[in-house]
Amino acid sequence: MVETRVKPFQRYTSGIHHYQVENALEIQFGEAKGFYSSFKIVLQEKVNEDHTKNWLIEKAEDSSFPSENKFMEILHVLEQSSYPLEIKVDEKGSFLSAADHQKNIENWKLKTAGLQEKYQNVDVFRNQYLSAYEDEAGFYKNKLKEPFWNLLLFAPYYVDNGGKNEESIMWNIKGIGDVECLGIIIAEQREYGFDALFTSEIKVPEIIQKELDKKYLYQAGQYKVKLQIEMEYNSHKKQYSKKKADFILSDGEKTVYRETITMT
């Protein structure tokens, strides 16, 4: 019997690809808080001679950011102005670097040049953001902590049809730190492509436990993480038609932090 290989490379056909992104965050460290955002992602791919690829990514908000807090509004505008971003990825779709970091910065400068007409003292925040932007390694390290970037870039190399392979993905718990989620991915061939499911259930590492104890006083060793990522790959369109991640942090009794994000 010939073994079937499912190869979920992030290969896009030429042209423009659109994703609708829905992101929900629930935090219950003592006081319950909820956050929701919805936006569109537009991705255009160009294949390079060395088999790497450039992805030009635009991010468009579905609605304007509420203006009750001017400081947060300024930071939101500065961040939003960093798009479109052009990055370089390998064949698998894993991030390598900015395609032209200086070009990205110059575009950002043009888009934010007139903000002083709308906001007082915006130059202080703009200069701080620019300083962080010019640190290419640090800027993209923080940028890639965003949940939709996790989903966009996550693509296992291959799994046996019906078998299981080990994979891992880094997830950022806001205000706490990064957790490496080690787990298993399985995939099944379908007529249109394949379905894949990644599942990880781990105890949080000690450094994360210490940060959690500062916010939520429970005995050490009780916090657990569960992450599930559902993926549907369309072979005809050569792209994922759906990715959904559900990240849950619990204290052994209840969920204290949950982040759900869907790209369709």
Side-chain angles (χ1 to χ4, degrees), residues 154-184:
F154 182 60
Y157 188 73
Y158 70 83
V159 296
D160 296 335
N161 195 45
K164 300 179 179 179
N165 272 38
E166 293 185 352
E167 281 286 342
S168 69
I169 183 172
M170 296 296 295
W171 201 272
N172 179 256
I173 305 175
K174 291 177 174 57
I176 300 295
D178 297 336
V179 176
E180 183 179 10
C181 299
L182 302 173
I184 298 294

Side-chain angles (χ1 to χ4, degrees), residues 12 17 20 27 51 98 108 134 160-162 173 178 198 210-211 214-215 218 233 248:
Y12 292 87
H17 301 270
Q20 178 70 36
I27 301 175
H51 302 296
W108 179 87
E134 290 174 334
D160 296 335
N161 195 45
I173 305 175
D178 297 336
F198 170 79
K210 290 179 179 179
E211 290 300 315
K214 295 177 183 178
K215 293 201 170 198
Y218 269 70
Y233 188 83
I248 298 174

Side-chain angles (χ1 to χ4, degrees), residues 74-213:
I74 290 170
L75 292 182
H76 176 78
V77 171
L78 293 175
E79 191 277 334
Q80 188 68 23
S81 298
S82 65
Y83 292 91
L85 277 178
E86 188 168 5
I87 64 171
K88 181 177 288 188
V89 299
D90 62 16
E91 182 185 12
K92 179 181 169 182
S94 298
F95 176 80
L96 296 174
S97 64
D100 188 339
H101 187 59
Q102 194 56 44
K103 178 182 176 182
N104 290 339
I105 290 176
E106 294 305 318
N107 287 339
W108 179 87
K109 287 179 179 178
L110 290 173
K111 295 179 73 172
T112 60
L115 290 180
Q116 66 271 17
E117 298 177 4
K118 184 175 180 181
Y119 303 105
Q120 292 183 347
N121 302 319
V122 70
D123 286 343
V124 174
F125 304 111
R126 184 174 180 269
N127 290 337
Q128 290 175 346
Y129 193 97
L130 177 58
S131 179
Y133 204 166
E134 290 174 334
D135 174 11
E136 181 175 349
F139 178 79
Y140 285 96
K141 181 180 179 180
N142 288 324
K143 180 70 73 176
L144 298 181
K145 289 180 179 180
E146 296 180 41
F148 94 83
W149 279 100
N150 274 336
L151 273 188
L152 186 66
L153 297 170
F154 182 60
Y157 188 73
Y158 70 83
V159 296
D160 296 335
N161 195 45
K164 300 179 179 179
N165 272 38
E166 293 185 352
E167 281 286 342
S168 69
I169 183 172
M170 296 296 295
W171 201 272
N172 179 256
I173 305 175
K174 291 177 174 57
I176 300 295
D178 297 336
V179 176
E180 183 179 10
C181 299
L182 302 173
I184 298 294
I185 186 164
I186 60 175
E188 293 286 350
Q189 198 78 39
R190 306 297 186 203
E191 290 184 9
Y192 60 85
F194 65 85
D195 295 339
L197 176 67
F198 170 79
T199 304
S200 172
E201 295 188 51
I202 62 171
K203 292 183 179 180
V204 298
E206 184 177 352
I207 188 171
I208 298 297
Q209 180 71 51
K210 290 179 179 179
E211 290 300 315
L212 287 166
D213 287 341

